[in-house]
Amino acid sequence: MEFLGTTQTASYCGPRRACGVSALPPAVPAPVIQECYQSYYLPGYRYLNSWRPGLFCKVSNAQTCPDEGITCRSPLRPPTMLPVLRSALVCRYSPRDWDQSNQLQLGGAEASRLWAGRLTGDSMRLMQDKDQLTRQMQEGTCRNLGQRLSDIGFWKSELSYQLERLLNENHSMETVKKRLECAAEELNCPLKVALECLYHREKRIGIDLVHDNVEKNLIREVDLLKCCQDQMRKLAQRIEIQMRDNRDAQHALERDLEDKSSAQFIDEKCFNLRNTSDCISFFHGIEKVDGTISVPETWAKFSNDNIRHSQNMRANSIRLREEAENLFETLSDQMWKQFTNTNLAFNARVAEVTDVRNKLQTQLAKVSEVCPRTAVRSARPGPSSRGAQRRLARLPRELPGEIRASGVNCSPDAGAWSLAWLSPQHPRGC
């Protein structure tokens, strides 16, 4: 307690050692006086000077020896406390105050320790609760991510299956369209043949220009072929429109499938994250960002609508393909029947013309055989021919008389008709 002040009876405060001279030391500069304490506040004391017992005590740093003129320092003796005011020595605390202060300090420390222990226990319980809650939330999030991944896998498989079937249907539609276009082009050859037949039949002369069954069947065949071409081309146009709709549905499926693959990659990465994973960063406020545009119900409904649209497009394509197959069969039967009818008409007409030609040739042969004998007979007229000539000579005199009959008597009776029939100008006359 030397630094808190000393009494005048202390051992080190005895009489000073003589320096060997009795004269007064010469005047020296005043010693440097400084406080021996640094500023420090005790707990419970507001002001620094309210407790320091050495308030009025100063310390002399150096003592000089008059005989030697140098400063004498004692390394074993602390600096002497010079009381300025004696009453300051009795302004100290009592042991009771000292004990009471210690008890207060111990009580405060004990209370602080109890509060610190209680706070530590509460902190540990809070940490355990939050850790358990965090673990439960992570487990729930993992379950949700697993369910989400299973849902994404299911919809991906459905979309892939529908996309594959739609691609196959598009390929089938493309094949049917090419068949229709090729069939329509191939009908040009039979059409040209039928038109060529009609063109050549127009070269017939005279009475042979007959609108017979052959011409009717040829015209019917031309109309049928043109109608078949028109139906095939219209159906090919409908198939082209349906193929565009199928491509739209295909693009929707591909886009949805790509989005599902991206979402599956992200969810798998989140599902495999652990607390010990590398490259984990904290993004403040990310939980407040809501960039979603759908909920699980609308998300599933979107994929379901795409699948239903694809199914409808495939159903329409199947109906068009069946219609094309039925059209092929129907038009094939009609064209074959018409071709058969035209050939039968040709055969019948050829047989008829051949029969008539044969008859004409027979008659021509007979006429050619009779003509020479007729020419010989006409060169030698007989009695019968001379009588016929006299009767014909009398006709011009009798027929005008019948015609000149007046009034009711001018009627075509049997005699007039007989005279007209015998006339050389009558078609039946000879």
Side-chain angles (χ1 to χ4, degrees):
M1 299 294 291
E2 290 82 6
F3 293 99
L4 294 178
T6 58
T7 63
Q8 294 296 326
T9 59
S11 61
Y12 48 83
C13 291
R16 292 179 294 178
R17 186 180 56 181
C19 296
V21 269
S22 59
L24 292 173
V28 295
V32 178
I33 306 299
Q34 65 179 4
E35 295 182 357
C36 63
Y37 300 106
Q38 296 180 356
S39 300
Y40 180 76
Y41 293 91
L42 287 178
Y45 296 93
R46 183 176 181 182
Y47 301 101
L48 176 64
N49 298 331
S50 61
W51 65 275
R52 291 170 56 186
L55 177 63
F56 300 101
C57 298
K58 303 295 181 180
V59 180
S60 177
N61 284 339
Q63 295 179 355
T64 59
C65 292
D67 56 349
E68 297 178 0
I70 59 175
T71 303
C72 296
R73 296 181 181 274
S74 176
L76 299 177
R77 182 180 178 181
T80 304
M81 304 294 295
L82 301 177
V84 180
L85 187 62
R86 189 174 183 81
S87 62
L89 296 176
V90 298
C91 295
R92 301 194 177 181
Y93 296 101
S94 63
R96 181 181 178 183
D97 294 336
W98 182 76
D99 292 335
Q100 187 177 1
S101 177
N102 290 334
Q103 292 296 328
L104 289 175
Q105 293 294 332
L106 291 174
E110 185 69 19
S112 298
R113 187 181 63 80
L114 291 176
W115 278 105
R118 187 179 301 174
L119 183 61
T120 303
D122 294 341
S123 300
M124 292 299 296
R125 284 192 298 272
L126 181 62
M127 291 172 60
Q128 291 175 0
D129 293 341
K130 293 301 180 181
D131 183 67
Q132 184 179 2
L133 180 61
T134 303
R135 189 173 291 108
Q136 290 177 357
M137 293 181 65
Q138 285 181 345
E139 291 176 356
T141 303
C142 288
R143 286 194 299 269
N144 294 334
L145 285 173
Q147 182 65 31
R148 178 74 170 178
L149 288 173
S150 63
D151 293 341
I152 292 176
F154 169 75
W155 287 113
K156 275 189 64 177
S157 62
E158 290 293 326
L159 291 171
S160 300
Y161 177 70
Q162 294 297 330
L163 180 61
E164 183 180 1
R165 296 189 66 182
L166 187 60
L167 290 175
N168 294 332
E169 189 63 33
N170 287 339
H171 181 69
S172 300
M173 292 287 287
E174 184 70 24
T175 304
V176 172
K177 177 189 172 185
K178 290 182 179 180
R179 287 180 60 192
L180 287 170
E181 292 176 350
C182 292
E185 292 295 329
E186 289 176 356
L187 288 180
N188 289 328
C189 293
L191 181 61
K192 288 181 180 179
V193 171
L195 292 175
E196 192 74 17
C197 291
L198 289 174
Y199 172 75
H200 286 293
R201 284 180 63 83
E202 291 297 325
K203 296 180 181 180
R204 293 174 297 174
I205 301 172
I207 196 64
D208 289 331
L209 286 170
V210 181
H211 187 63
D212 51 2
N213 290 331
V214 175
E215 189 171 356
K216 292 178 181 178
N217 282 286
L218 286 174
I219 293 174
R220 199 176 297 120
E221 183 176 352
V222 170
D223 294 338
L224 179 61
L225 292 174
K226 290 181 179 180
C227 181
C228 292
Q229 283 184 333
D230 189 28
Q231 290 182 8
M232 290 181 181
R233 287 167 181 165
K234 287 182 178 180
L235 186 57
Q237 292 178 358
R238 290 172 56 192
I239 290 176
E240 178 65 26
I241 295 173
Q242 184 61 42
M243 289 178 64
R244 287 200 297 266
D245 295 339
N246 291 350
R247 283 192 290 270
D248 293 338
Q250 175 186 347
H251 293 161
L253 290 176
E254 289 176 348
R255 185 169 56 252
D256 195 4
L257 187 60
E258 183 179 357
D259 295 340
K260 291 292 185 297
S261 299
S262 177
Q264 186 179 19
F265 174 76
I266 295 173
D267 289 344
E268 284 180 352
K269 184 177 180 180
C270 296
F271 182 77
N272 294 325
L273 282 178
R274 297 295 181 268
N275 295 331
T276 57
S277 299
D278 298 334
C279 302
I280 296 179
S281 302
F282 178 74
F283 301 94
H284 180 71
I286 193 64
E287 70 279 0
K288 299 180 181 178
V289 178
D290 187 10
T292 58
I293 59 175
S294 65
V295 295
E297 290 77 11
T298 57
W299 174 77
K301 184 177 180 298
F302 179 77
S303 298
N304 191 23
D305 292 342
N306 288 333
I307 291 175
R308 288 185 179 275
H309 181 62
S310 174
Q311 291 175 349
N312 292 332
M313 293 300 101
R314 284 194 298 106
N316 294 337
S317 300
I318 292 172
R319 283 196 295 269
L320 283 176
R321 286 196 298 110
E322 292 178 352
E323 183 178 352
E325 295 296 335
N326 294 332
L327 182 65
F328 278 131
E329 295 179 1
T330 303
L331 296 182
S332 172
D333 293 339
Q334 292 179 358
M335 287 187 292
W336 180 254
K337 289 179 180 179
Q338 185 60 41
F339 179 75
T340 303
N341 293 333
T342 304
N343 288 337
L344 292 176
F346 263 113
N347 293 331
R349 183 62 178 172
V350 168
E352 183 180 1
V353 171
T354 303
D355 184 43
V356 172
R357 188 188 64 180
N358 293 333
K359 290 181 179 180
L360 289 175
Q361 287 180 350
T362 303
Q363 293 297 328
L364 179 60
K366 291 180 179 180
V367 170
S368 298
E369 184 181 355
V370 171
C371 282
R373 294 197 300 269
T374 305
V376 173
R377 291 186 59 186
S378 61
R380 293 183 302 172
S384 58
S385 61
R386 286 193 296 270
Q389 290 177 358
R390 284 194 296 268
R391 286 194 295 274
L392 289 174
R394 195 175 64 237
L395 281 176
R397 293 191 300 269
E398 295 177 355
L399 187 58
E402 293 289 335
I403 295 173
R404 286 193 297 269
S406 61
V408 182
N409 296 320
C410 185
S411 61
D413 52 3
W417 282 113
S418 299
L419 291 174
W421 189 81
L422 292 175
S423 174
Q425 289 79 16
H426 196 274
R428 295 295 183 90
C430 48

